[in-house]
Amino acid sequence: VEGMKDGSPVWNFIKDQCLHCQHPACVSACPVEALTKNADGAVVYNFDKCIGCRYCMVACPFDIPKYEWDKVLPAVQKCTFCSERITDGMSPACVATCPSGALLYGERKDILAEAKRRINAKPNGYVEHIYGEKEAGGTSWMYLSDVDFKDLGFKQKISNKALPSFTWAQLGTLPGKAAVIATGLTALAVFRNRGSNDDEIEITEEEV
């Protein structure tokens, strides 16, 4: 992302990827459990279970899952946090290959502590915001920046509350809503069909 800082043009390089939410909305929205969150923090995708509904794309507050529209057998694509490497005791490939140490991997609490240490040690070098610490209830992938995150295209106005809590709150009201709708439709049917039996009797008498 090209911008200006202190009157000079600067470039900021951003790794745009799945943030692996602590409470992922995509997992909550998937009706067939094609998306799951592992104990190691990774949100992973199972192609064999996916039915292509793309609810995960709608649910994600960060607009991360992408669909392979141009393929005969399309899948949803997103970062898997190199879950298979983590299982084998290794760090994600991006972290292992980063030559400048811009990427760190470890326990979330340790990464947060390091991020806060860096901000406190260099207050003029970073904005005082760890993106992902609280967004959407907290994520497993977090960012530090020396410029405002909105200038880098990061999603703003994301609730700090875990998004699945909104989903389940709405789902919990469905039985009541369904009962109200059913009662209303029944009353409408009764009102519309009132007197229909009398009409049939009158017609029968006229015919006789």
Side-chain angles (χ1 to χ4, degrees), residues 51-119:
I51 58 175
C53 67
R54 302 182 292 281
Y55 287 171
C56 56
M57 295 172 61
V58 177
C60 178
F62 304 106
D63 295 335
I64 292 300
K66 298 295 184 291
Y67 198 63
E68 297 176 323
W69 297 99
D70 58 338
K71 292 190 176 181
V72 177
L73 295 175
V76 172
Q77 292 292 342
K78 61 177 287 297
C79 163
T80 64
F81 220 152
C82 288
S83 181
E84 68 285 351
R85 288 176 57 88
I86 294 175
T87 300
D88 291 337
M90 297 184 288
S91 62
C94 59
V95 177
T97 57
C98 181
S100 64
L103 307 177
L104 298 178
Y105 172 74
E107 293 292 330
R108 188 174 190 272
K109 59 181 179 61
D110 296 333
I111 297 298
L112 274 173
E114 173 62 16
K116 292 175 181 179
R117 185 196 67 78
R118 292 188 182 190
I119 291 175

Short mmCIF file of all heavy atoms in Angstrom, two decimals, residues 51-119:
data_model
loop_
_atom_site.label_atom_id
_atom_site.label_comp_id
_atom_site.label_asym_id
_atom_site.label_seq_id
_atom_site.Cartn_x
_atom_site.Cartn_y
_atom_site.Cartn_z
N ILE A 51 -20.29 -28.00 0.56
CA ILE A 51 -21.39 -28.11 -0.40
C ILE A 51 -21.48 -26.87 -1.28
O ILE A 51 -22.42 -26.72 -2.07
CB ILE A 51 -22.74 -28.33 0.32
CG1 ILE A 51 -23.02 -27.18 1.30
CG2 ILE A 51 -22.77 -29.67 1.03
CD1 ILE A 51 -24.39 -27.24 1.96
N GLY A 52 -20.52 -25.97 -1.13
CA GLY A 52 -20.46 -24.79 -1.99
C GLY A 52 -21.48 -23.72 -1.69
O GLY A 52 -21.76 -22.86 -2.54
N CYS A 53 -22.02 -23.69 -0.48
CA CYS A 53 -23.04 -22.69 -0.14
C CYS A 53 -22.44 -21.29 0.00
O CYS A 53 -23.14 -20.29 -0.14
CB CYS A 53 -23.77 -23.08 1.14
SG CYS A 53 -22.74 -23.03 2.63
N ARG A 54 -21.16 -21.22 0.35
CA ARG A 54 -20.42 -19.96 0.48
C ARG A 54 -20.92 -19.09 1.62
O ARG A 54 -20.71 -17.88 1.63
CB ARG A 54 -20.41 -19.19 -0.85
CG ARG A 54 -19.81 -19.99 -2.00
CD ARG A 54 -19.76 -19.19 -3.28
NE ARG A 54 -21.07 -18.90 -3.82
CZ ARG A 54 -21.83 -19.75 -4.51
NH1 ARG A 54 -21.37 -20.97 -4.74
NH2 ARG A 54 -23.01 -19.39 -4.96
N TYR A 55 -21.60 -19.69 2.59
CA TYR A 55 -22.02 -18.94 3.78
C TYR A 55 -20.81 -18.38 4.52
O TYR A 55 -20.89 -17.33 5.15
CB TYR A 55 -22.83 -19.84 4.73
CG TYR A 55 -24.22 -20.18 4.26
CD1 TYR A 55 -24.99 -21.13 4.93
CD2 TYR A 55 -24.78 -19.56 3.15
CE1 TYR A 55 -26.28 -21.45 4.50
CE2 TYR A 55 -26.05 -19.88 2.72
CZ TYR A 55 -26.80 -20.83 3.40
OH TYR A 55 -28.07 -21.15 2.98
N CYS A 56 -19.70 -19.10 4.45
CA CYS A 56 -18.48 -18.65 5.13
C CYS A 56 -18.01 -17.31 4.59
O CYS A 56 -17.52 -16.46 5.34
CB CYS A 56 -17.38 -19.70 4.99
SG CYS A 56 -16.97 -20.14 3.28
N MET A 57 -18.18 -17.10 3.27
CA MET A 57 -17.77 -15.85 2.65
C MET A 57 -18.62 -14.69 3.16
O MET A 57 -18.13 -13.59 3.37
CB MET A 57 -17.86 -15.97 1.13
CG MET A 57 -16.91 -16.99 0.53
SD MET A 57 -17.18 -17.29 -1.24
CE MET A 57 -16.89 -15.66 -1.92
N VAL A 58 -19.91 -14.96 3.36
CA VAL A 58 -20.82 -13.92 3.85
C VAL A 58 -20.55 -13.64 5.33
O VAL A 58 -20.61 -12.49 5.77
CB VAL A 58 -22.29 -14.37 3.65
CG1 VAL A 58 -23.25 -13.34 4.23
CG2 VAL A 58 -22.58 -14.61 2.18
N ALA A 59 -20.24 -14.69 6.08
CA ALA A 59 -20.09 -14.55 7.53
C ALA A 59 -18.79 -13.86 7.94
O ALA A 59 -18.75 -13.16 8.94
CB ALA A 59 -20.17 -15.93 8.19
N CYS A 60 -17.73 -14.05 7.16
CA CYS A 60 -16.41 -13.55 7.56
C CYS A 60 -16.39 -12.02 7.59
O CYS A 60 -16.63 -11.37 6.57
CB CYS A 60 -15.33 -14.05 6.61
SG CYS A 60 -13.68 -13.40 7.02
N PRO A 61 -16.09 -11.40 8.74
CA PRO A 61 -16.05 -9.94 8.81
C PRO A 61 -14.86 -9.33 8.10
O PRO A 61 -14.82 -8.11 7.87
CB PRO A 61 -16.00 -9.68 10.32
CG PRO A 61 -15.27 -10.86 10.87
CD PRO A 61 -15.74 -12.02 10.03
N PHE A 62 -13.88 -10.17 7.75
CA PHE A 62 -12.66 -9.67 7.11
C PHE A 62 -12.62 -9.96 5.61
O PHE A 62 -11.62 -9.70 4.94
CB PHE A 62 -11.43 -10.30 7.79
CG PHE A 62 -11.39 -10.07 9.27
CD1 PHE A 62 -11.67 -11.09 10.16
CD2 PHE A 62 -11.08 -8.82 9.79
CE1 PHE A 62 -11.64 -10.89 11.54
CE2 PHE A 62 -11.04 -8.59 11.16
CZ PHE A 62 -11.33 -9.63 12.04
N ASP A 63 -13.70 -10.55 5.07
CA ASP A 63 -13.80 -10.85 3.63
C ASP A 63 -12.63 -11.71 3.15
O ASP A 63 -12.02 -11.43 2.10
CB ASP A 63 -13.85 -9.56 2.80
CG ASP A 63 -15.10 -8.75 3.07
OD1 ASP A 63 -16.11 -9.34 3.49
OD2 ASP A 63 -15.07 -7.52 2.88
N ILE A 64 -12.32 -12.76 3.87
CA ILE A 64 -11.16 -13.57 3.54
C ILE A 64 -11.45 -14.78 2.64
O ILE A 64 -10.80 -14.95 1.61
CB ILE A 64 -10.45 -14.04 4.83
CG1 ILE A 64 -9.82 -12.83 5.54
CG2 ILE A 64 -9.38 -15.08 4.53
CD1 ILE A 64 -8.79 -12.09 4.71
N PRO A 65 -12.41 -15.67 2.96
CA PRO A 65 -12.60 -16.85 2.11
C PRO A 65 -12.91 -16.46 0.67
O PRO A 65 -13.69 -15.55 0.43
CB PRO A 65 -13.78 -17.58 2.77
CG PRO A 65 -13.77 -17.10 4.19
CD PRO A 65 -13.32 -15.67 4.11
N LYS A 66 -12.28 -17.14 -0.26
CA LYS A 66 -12.50 -16.86 -1.69
C LYS A 66 -12.91 -18.16 -2.39
O LYS A 66 -12.42 -19.25 -2.06
CB LYS A 66 -11.22 -16.32 -2.33
CG LYS A 66 -10.77 -14.98 -1.73
CD LYS A 66 -11.77 -13.87 -2.00
CE LYS A 66 -11.28 -12.52 -1.50
NZ LYS A 66 -11.23 -12.44 -0.02
N TYR A 67 -13.79 -18.04 -3.37
CA TYR A 67 -14.34 -19.20 -4.07
C TYR A 67 -13.70 -19.33 -5.45
O TYR A 67 -13.50 -18.32 -6.13
CB TYR A 67 -15.85 -19.04 -4.20
CG TYR A 67 -16.61 -20.31 -4.50
CD1 TYR A 67 -16.63 -21.37 -3.61
CD2 TYR A 67 -17.34 -20.43 -5.69
CE1 TYR A 67 -17.34 -22.52 -3.89
CE2 TYR A 67 -18.07 -21.57 -5.96
CZ TYR A 67 -18.07 -22.61 -5.06
OH TYR A 67 -18.77 -23.76 -5.33
N GLU A 68 -13.40 -20.53 -5.85
CA GLU A 68 -12.77 -20.78 -7.15
C GLU A 68 -13.84 -20.84 -8.25
O GLU A 68 -14.22 -21.91 -8.72
CB GLU A 68 -11.97 -22.08 -7.11
CG GLU A 68 -10.83 -22.06 -6.11
CD GLU A 68 -10.11 -23.38 -6.00
OE1 GLU A 68 -10.78 -24.43 -6.08
OE2 GLU A 68 -8.88 -23.38 -5.84
N TRP A 69 -14.31 -19.67 -8.65
CA TRP A 69 -15.42 -19.60 -9.61
C TRP A 69 -15.07 -20.20 -10.97
O TRP A 69 -15.96 -20.64 -11.71
CB TRP A 69 -15.83 -18.13 -9.81
CG TRP A 69 -16.33 -17.47 -8.57
CD1 TRP A 69 -15.64 -16.64 -7.72
CD2 TRP A 69 -17.65 -17.57 -8.01
NE1 TRP A 69 -16.43 -16.23 -6.69
CE2 TRP A 69 -17.67 -16.78 -6.84
CE3 TRP A 69 -18.81 -18.25 -8.39
CZ2 TRP A 69 -18.81 -16.64 -6.05
CZ3 TRP A 69 -19.94 -18.11 -7.60
CH2 TRP A 69 -19.93 -17.32 -6.45
N ASP A 70 -13.81 -20.21 -11.33
CA ASP A 70 -13.42 -20.64 -12.67
C ASP A 70 -13.12 -22.13 -12.78
O ASP A 70 -12.70 -22.60 -13.84
CB ASP A 70 -12.19 -19.85 -13.13
CG ASP A 70 -11.00 -20.01 -12.17
OD1 ASP A 70 -11.25 -20.35 -11.00
OD2 ASP A 70 -9.86 -19.78 -12.60
N LYS A 71 -13.33 -22.89 -11.70
CA LYS A 71 -13.00 -24.32 -11.73
C LYS A 71 -14.26 -25.18 -11.79
O LYS A 71 -15.32 -24.80 -11.31
CB LYS A 71 -12.17 -24.69 -10.50
CG LYS A 71 -10.78 -24.08 -10.51
CD LYS A 71 -9.91 -24.68 -9.41
CE LYS A 71 -8.49 -24.13 -9.49
NZ LYS A 71 -7.62 -24.72 -8.44
N VAL A 72 -14.12 -26.36 -12.40
CA VAL A 72 -15.23 -27.30 -12.51
C VAL A 72 -15.62 -27.81 -11.14
O VAL A 72 -16.80 -27.96 -10.82
CB VAL A 72 -14.86 -28.47 -13.45
CG1 VAL A 72 -16.00 -29.49 -13.50
CG2 VAL A 72 -14.54 -27.96 -14.84
N LEU A 73 -14.62 -28.13 -10.32
CA LEU A 73 -14.86 -28.57 -8.94
C LEU A 73 -14.28 -27.51 -8.01
O LEU A 73 -13.16 -27.65 -7.49
CB LEU A 73 -14.21 -29.93 -8.70
CG LEU A 73 -14.79 -31.11 -9.48
CD1 LEU A 73 -13.97 -32.37 -9.24
CD2 LEU A 73 -16.26 -31.34 -9.11
N PRO A 74 -15.01 -26.43 -7.79
CA PRO A 74 -14.47 -25.31 -7.01
C PRO A 74 -14.38 -25.62 -5.52
O PRO A 74 -15.15 -26.42 -4.99
CB PRO A 74 -15.47 -24.19 -7.29
CG PRO A 74 -16.75 -24.91 -7.55
CD PRO A 74 -16.38 -26.17 -8.26
N ALA A 75 -13.46 -24.96 -4.88
CA ALA A 75 -13.30 -25.07 -3.43
C ALA A 75 -13.20 -23.66 -2.86
O ALA A 75 -13.03 -22.68 -3.59
CB ALA A 75 -12.05 -25.87 -3.09
N VAL A 76 -13.31 -23.57 -1.56
CA VAL A 76 -13.08 -22.31 -0.86
C VAL A 76 -11.61 -22.25 -0.48
O VAL A 76 -11.06 -23.22 0.06
CB VAL A 76 -13.96 -22.20 0.40
CG1 VAL A 76 -13.58 -20.99 1.23
CG2 VAL A 76 -15.43 -22.13 0.01
N GLN A 77 -10.98 -21.14 -0.78
CA GLN A 77 -9.55 -21.00 -0.49
C GLN A 77 -9.31 -20.00 0.63
O GLN A 77 -9.92 -18.93 0.65
CB GLN A 77 -8.78 -20.57 -1.75
CG GLN A 77 -8.74 -21.62 -2.85
CD GLN A 77 -7.91 -22.82 -2.47
OE1 GLN A 77 -7.10 -22.78 -1.56
NE2 GLN A 77 -8.13 -23.92 -3.16
N LYS A 78 -8.45 -20.36 1.55
CA LYS A 78 -8.04 -19.48 2.64
C LYS A 78 -6.79 -20.05 3.28
O LYS A 78 -6.48 -21.23 3.11
CB LYS A 78 -9.14 -19.35 3.70
CG LYS A 78 -9.49 -20.68 4.37
CD LYS A 78 -10.53 -20.50 5.45
CE LYS A 78 -9.95 -19.85 6.68
NZ LYS A 78 -8.89 -20.66 7.32
N CYS A 79 -6.07 -19.20 4.00
CA CYS A 79 -4.89 -19.67 4.74
C CYS A 79 -5.31 -20.70 5.78
O CYS A 79 -6.31 -20.53 6.48
CB CYS A 79 -4.22 -18.47 5.42
SG CYS A 79 -3.07 -18.90 6.73
N THR A 80 -4.55 -21.77 5.89
CA THR A 80 -4.84 -22.82 6.87
C THR A 80 -3.91 -22.74 8.08
O THR A 80 -3.93 -23.63 8.92
CB THR A 80 -4.68 -24.21 6.23
OG1 THR A 80 -3.32 -24.40 5.85
CG2 THR A 80 -5.59 -24.36 5.02
N PHE A 81 -3.12 -21.67 8.15
CA PHE A 81 -2.15 -21.51 9.25
C PHE A 81 -1.10 -22.64 9.23
O PHE A 81 -0.46 -22.93 10.25
CB PHE A 81 -2.86 -21.51 10.60
CG PHE A 81 -2.31 -20.50 11.58
CD1 PHE A 81 -3.13 -19.95 12.55
CD2 PHE A 81 -0.99 -20.09 11.54
CE1 PHE A 81 -2.65 -19.02 13.47
CE2 PHE A 81 -0.50 -19.16 12.45
CZ PHE A 81 -1.33 -18.63 13.42
N CYS A 82 -0.95 -23.28 8.05
CA CYS A 82 -0.03 -24.42 7.93
C CYS A 82 -0.28 -25.42 9.06
O CYS A 82 0.64 -25.83 9.76
CB CYS A 82 1.41 -23.95 7.93
SG CYS A 82 1.92 -23.10 6.43
N SER A 83 -1.54 -25.78 9.21
CA SER A 83 -1.94 -26.65 10.32
C SER A 83 -1.15 -27.96 10.34
O SER A 83 -0.80 -28.47 11.41
CB SER A 83 -3.44 -26.96 10.22
OG SER A 83 -3.86 -27.77 11.29
N GLU A 84 -0.83 -28.49 9.14
CA GLU A 84 -0.08 -29.75 9.09
C GLU A 84 1.35 -29.57 9.60
O GLU A 84 1.92 -30.47 10.23
CB GLU A 84 -0.08 -30.31 7.66
CG GLU A 84 0.70 -29.51 6.62
CD GLU A 84 0.02 -28.23 6.18
OE1 GLU A 84 -1.16 -28.04 6.55
OE2 GLU A 84 0.67 -27.43 5.47
N ARG A 85 1.94 -28.41 9.38
CA ARG A 85 3.27 -28.12 9.90
C ARG A 85 3.23 -27.95 11.42
O ARG A 85 4.11 -28.43 12.14
CB ARG A 85 3.85 -26.85 9.25
CG ARG A 85 4.26 -27.02 7.79
CD ARG A 85 4.72 -25.68 7.20
NE ARG A 85 5.83 -25.10 7.94
CZ ARG A 85 7.12 -25.35 7.71
NH1 ARG A 85 7.46 -26.19 6.73
NH2 ARG A 85 8.06 -24.76 8.44
N ILE A 86 2.20 -27.26 11.90
CA ILE A 86 2.06 -27.07 13.34
C ILE A 86 1.91 -28.41 14.05
O ILE A 86 2.49 -28.65 15.11
CB ILE A 86 0.85 -26.16 13.64
CG1 ILE A 86 1.10 -24.75 13.11
CG2 ILE A 86 0.56 -26.10 15.14
CD1 ILE A 86 -0.08 -23.82 13.26
N THR A 87 1.14 -29.31 13.43
CA THR A 87 0.95 -30.65 13.99
C THR A 87 2.28 -31.37 14.11
O THR A 87 2.51 -32.14 15.06
CB THR A 87 -0.01 -31.47 13.12
OG1 THR A 87 -1.28 -30.80 13.06
CG2 THR A 87 -0.22 -32.86 13.69
N ASP A 88 3.19 -31.12 13.17
CA ASP A 88 4.51 -31.76 13.18
C ASP A 88 5.53 -30.98 14.02
O ASP A 88 6.73 -31.27 13.96
CB ASP A 88 5.03 -31.91 11.75
CG ASP A 88 4.23 -32.93 10.95
OD1 ASP A 88 3.60 -33.80 11.58
OD2 ASP A 88 4.22 -32.85 9.71
N GLY A 89 5.06 -29.97 14.75
CA GLY A 89 5.95 -29.24 15.63
C GLY A 89 6.72 -28.12 14.97
O GLY A 89 7.67 -27.59 15.56
N MET A 90 6.34 -27.74 13.75
CA MET A 90 7.02 -26.67 13.03
C MET A 90 6.17 -25.41 13.04
O MET A 90 4.99 -25.45 13.37
CB MET A 90 7.31 -27.10 11.59
CG MET A 90 8.26 -28.29 11.47
SD MET A 90 8.66 -28.70 9.74
CE MET A 90 7.09 -29.41 9.20
N SER A 91 6.77 -24.29 12.67
CA SER A 91 6.03 -23.04 12.56
C SER A 91 5.46 -22.93 11.15
O SER A 91 5.90 -23.63 10.23
CB SER A 91 6.95 -21.85 12.85
OG SER A 91 8.00 -21.79 11.89
N PRO A 92 4.48 -22.04 10.93
CA PRO A 92 3.94 -21.84 9.58
C PRO A 92 5.06 -21.48 8.60
O PRO A 92 6.04 -20.83 8.98
CB PRO A 92 2.95 -20.69 9.76
CG PRO A 92 2.52 -20.80 11.19
CD PRO A 92 3.74 -21.25 11.93
N ALA A 93 4.90 -21.87 7.35
CA ALA A 93 5.95 -21.68 6.35
C ALA A 93 6.30 -20.21 6.16
O ALA A 93 7.47 -19.86 5.98
CB ALA A 93 5.50 -22.29 5.02
N CYS A 94 5.29 -19.32 6.23
CA CYS A 94 5.57 -17.90 6.03
C CYS A 94 6.48 -17.36 7.12
O CYS A 94 7.37 -16.55 6.87
CB CYS A 94 4.27 -17.10 5.98
SG CYS A 94 3.24 -17.24 7.46
N VAL A 95 6.28 -17.83 8.35
CA VAL A 95 7.11 -17.40 9.47
C VAL A 95 8.52 -17.96 9.32
O VAL A 95 9.52 -17.26 9.55
CB VAL A 95 6.49 -17.85 10.81
CG1 VAL A 95 7.39 -17.47 11.99
CG2 VAL A 95 5.10 -17.25 10.98
N ALA A 96 8.61 -19.23 8.93
CA ALA A 96 9.91 -19.88 8.81
C ALA A 96 10.78 -19.27 7.72
O ALA A 96 12.01 -19.27 7.82
CB ALA A 96 9.71 -21.38 8.54
N THR A 97 10.15 -18.73 6.68
CA THR A 97 10.92 -18.21 5.55
C THR A 97 11.10 -16.69 5.57
O THR A 97 11.83 -16.16 4.74
CB THR A 97 10.24 -18.60 4.22
OG1 THR A 97 8.90 -18.09 4.20
CG2 THR A 97 10.22 -20.11 4.05
N CYS A 98 10.44 -15.98 6.48
CA CYS A 98 10.54 -14.52 6.51
C CYS A 98 11.97 -14.09 6.85
O CYS A 98 12.46 -14.40 7.95
CB CYS A 98 9.56 -13.95 7.53
SG CYS A 98 9.60 -12.14 7.61
N PRO A 99 12.67 -13.38 5.96
CA PRO A 99 14.08 -13.06 6.19
C PRO A 99 14.31 -11.91 7.17
O PRO A 99 15.41 -11.74 7.67
CB PRO A 99 14.57 -12.68 4.79
CG PRO A 99 13.36 -12.12 4.11
CD PRO A 99 12.20 -12.93 4.63
N SER A 100 13.26 -11.12 7.43
CA SER A 100 13.45 -9.93 8.27
C SER A 100 12.89 -10.08 9.67
O SER A 100 13.02 -9.17 10.50
CB SER A 100 12.81 -8.72 7.59
OG SER A 100 11.41 -8.90 7.50
N GLY A 101 12.24 -11.21 9.95
CA GLY A 101 11.65 -11.39 11.27
C GLY A 101 10.38 -10.58 11.46
O GLY A 101 9.99 -10.28 12.59
N ALA A 102 9.73 -10.22 10.37
CA ALA A 102 8.50 -9.45 10.46
C ALA A 102 7.34 -10.29 10.99
O ALA A 102 6.35 -9.76 11.49
CB ALA A 102 8.12 -8.88 9.09
N LEU A 103 7.47 -11.61 10.88
CA LEU A 103 6.42 -12.52 11.32
C LEU A 103 6.90 -13.33 12.52
O LEU A 103 8.03 -13.85 12.52
CB LEU A 103 6.02 -13.46 10.19
CG LEU A 103 5.64 -12.81 8.86
CD1 LEU A 103 5.34 -13.89 7.81
CD2 LEU A 103 4.43 -11.92 9.04
N LEU A 104 6.06 -13.44 13.52
CA LEU A 104 6.37 -14.24 14.71
C LEU A 104 5.28 -15.28 14.92
O LEU A 104 4.12 -15.06 14.58
CB LEU A 104 6.46 -13.35 15.95
CG LEU A 104 7.54 -12.26 15.97
CD1 LEU A 104 7.43 -11.47 17.28
CD2 LEU A 104 8.92 -12.87 15.83
N TYR A 105 5.67 -16.39 15.50
CA TYR A 105 4.71 -17.45 15.80
C TYR A 105 4.94 -17.95 17.22
O TYR A 105 6.08 -18.10 17.66
CB TYR A 105 4.85 -18.61 14.81
CG TYR A 105 4.01 -19.81 15.18
CD1 TYR A 105 2.64 -19.79 15.01
CD2 TYR A 105 4.60 -20.96 15.72
CE1 TYR A 105 1.86 -20.88 15.36
CE2 TYR A 105 3.84 -22.06 16.05
CZ TYR A 105 2.46 -22.02 15.89
OH TYR A 105 1.70 -23.09 16.25
N GLY A 106 3.85 -18.18 17.94
CA GLY A 106 3.97 -18.71 19.29
C GLY A 106 2.62 -18.70 19.98
O GLY A 106 1.58 -18.54 19.33
N GLU A 107 2.62 -18.86 21.29
CA GLU A 107 1.38 -18.80 22.05
C GLU A 107 0.80 -17.39 21.95
O GLU A 107 1.53 -16.40 21.99
CB GLU A 107 1.63 -19.15 23.51
CG GLU A 107 2.05 -20.60 23.74
CD GLU A 107 0.92 -21.57 23.45
OE1 GLU A 107 -0.26 -21.19 23.61
OE2 GLU A 107 1.22 -22.72 23.04
N ARG A 108 -0.50 -17.30 21.85
CA ARG A 108 -1.16 -16.00 21.64
C ARG A 108 -0.80 -15.01 22.74
O ARG A 108 -0.50 -13.85 22.48
CB ARG A 108 -2.68 -16.18 21.57
CG ARG A 108 -3.43 -14.91 21.16
CD ARG A 108 -4.92 -15.19 20.96
NE ARG A 108 -5.58 -14.04 20.35
CZ ARG A 108 -6.10 -13.03 21.03
NH1 ARG A 108 -6.04 -13.02 22.36
NH2 ARG A 108 -6.70 -12.02 20.40
N LYS A 109 -0.79 -15.46 23.98
CA LYS A 109 -0.48 -14.56 25.09
C LYS A 109 0.95 -14.03 24.99
O LYS A 109 1.23 -12.87 25.34
CB LYS A 109 -0.70 -15.26 26.43
CG LYS A 109 0.14 -16.51 26.64
CD LYS A 109 -0.15 -17.14 27.98
CE LYS A 109 0.66 -18.41 28.21
NZ LYS A 109 2.11 -18.18 28.19
N ASP A 110 1.86 -14.86 24.49
CA ASP A 110 3.25 -14.43 24.34
C ASP A 110 3.40 -13.43 23.20
O ASP A 110 4.17 -12.46 23.30
CB ASP A 110 4.15 -15.64 24.09
CG ASP A 110 4.17 -16.60 25.26
OD1 ASP A 110 3.95 -16.14 26.41
OD2 ASP A 110 4.40 -17.81 25.05
N ILE A 111 2.66 -13.65 22.10
CA ILE A 111 2.71 -12.72 20.97
C ILE A 111 2.12 -11.38 21.38
O ILE A 111 2.66 -10.31 21.03
CB ILE A 111 1.94 -13.30 19.76
CG1 ILE A 111 2.61 -14.61 19.29
CG2 ILE A 111 1.89 -12.29 18.63
CD1 ILE A 111 4.02 -14.44 18.80
N LEU A 112 1.03 -11.40 22.13
CA LEU A 112 0.43 -10.16 22.60
C LEU A 112 1.39 -9.40 23.51
O LEU A 112 1.52 -8.17 23.41
CB LEU A 112 -0.87 -10.45 23.36
CG LEU A 112 -2.15 -10.57 22.51
CD1 LEU A 112 -3.31 -11.05 23.37
CD2 LEU A 112 -2.49 -9.25 21.85
N ALA A 113 2.05 -10.13 24.39
CA ALA A 113 3.01 -9.49 25.30
C ALA A 113 4.15 -8.85 24.52
O ALA A 113 4.59 -7.73 24.85
CB ALA A 113 3.55 -10.53 26.29
N GLU A 114 4.62 -9.53 23.48
CA GLU A 114 5.71 -8.98 22.66
C GLU A 114 5.23 -7.76 21.88
O GLU A 114 5.96 -6.76 21.76
CB GLU A 114 6.21 -10.05 21.70
CG GLU A 114 7.23 -9.57 20.66
CD GLU A 114 8.52 -9.03 21.28
OE1 GLU A 114 8.79 -9.30 22.48
OE2 GLU A 114 9.28 -8.35 20.56
N ALA A 115 4.01 -7.80 21.39
CA ALA A 115 3.46 -6.66 20.65
C ALA A 115 3.36 -5.44 21.57
O ALA A 115 3.74 -4.32 21.18
CB ALA A 115 2.10 -7.02 20.08
N LYS A 116 2.87 -5.63 22.77
CA LYS A 116 2.74 -4.51 23.71
C LYS A 116 4.12 -3.99 24.12
O LYS A 116 4.30 -2.78 24.31
CB LYS A 116 1.93 -4.97 24.93
CG LYS A 116 0.47 -5.26 24.59
CD LYS A 116 -0.29 -5.82 25.78
CE LYS A 116 -1.74 -6.13 25.40
NZ LYS A 116 -2.49 -6.70 26.54
N ARG A 117 5.08 -4.89 24.26
CA ARG A 117 6.44 -4.47 24.61
C ARG A 117 7.01 -3.58 23.52
O ARG A 117 7.62 -2.54 23.80
CB ARG A 117 7.33 -5.70 24.80
CG ARG A 117 8.74 -5.36 25.29
CD ARG A 117 9.70 -6.51 25.11
NE ARG A 117 9.96 -6.80 23.71
CZ ARG A 117 10.77 -6.08 22.94
NH1 ARG A 117 11.39 -5.02 23.43
NH2 ARG A 117 10.97 -6.41 21.67
N ARG A 118 6.79 -3.95 22.26
CA ARG A 118 7.32 -3.17 21.14
C ARG A 118 6.67 -1.79 21.07
O ARG A 118 7.34 -0.79 20.80
CB ARG A 118 7.12 -3.92 19.83
CG ARG A 118 7.95 -5.18 19.71
CD ARG A 118 7.84 -5.79 18.32
NE ARG A 118 8.61 -7.02 18.22
CZ ARG A 118 8.86 -7.65 17.08
NH1 ARG A 118 8.40 -7.15 15.93
NH2 ARG A 118 9.55 -8.78 17.06
N ILE A 119 5.36 -1.74 21.29
CA ILE A 119 4.66 -0.45 21.26
C ILE A 119 5.17 0.46 22.37
O ILE A 119 5.43 1.65 22.16
CB ILE A 119 3.14 -0.67 21.39
CG1 ILE A 119 2.58 -1.34 20.13
CG2 ILE A 119 2.43 0.67 21.63
CD1 ILE A 119 1.11 -1.71 20.22
#
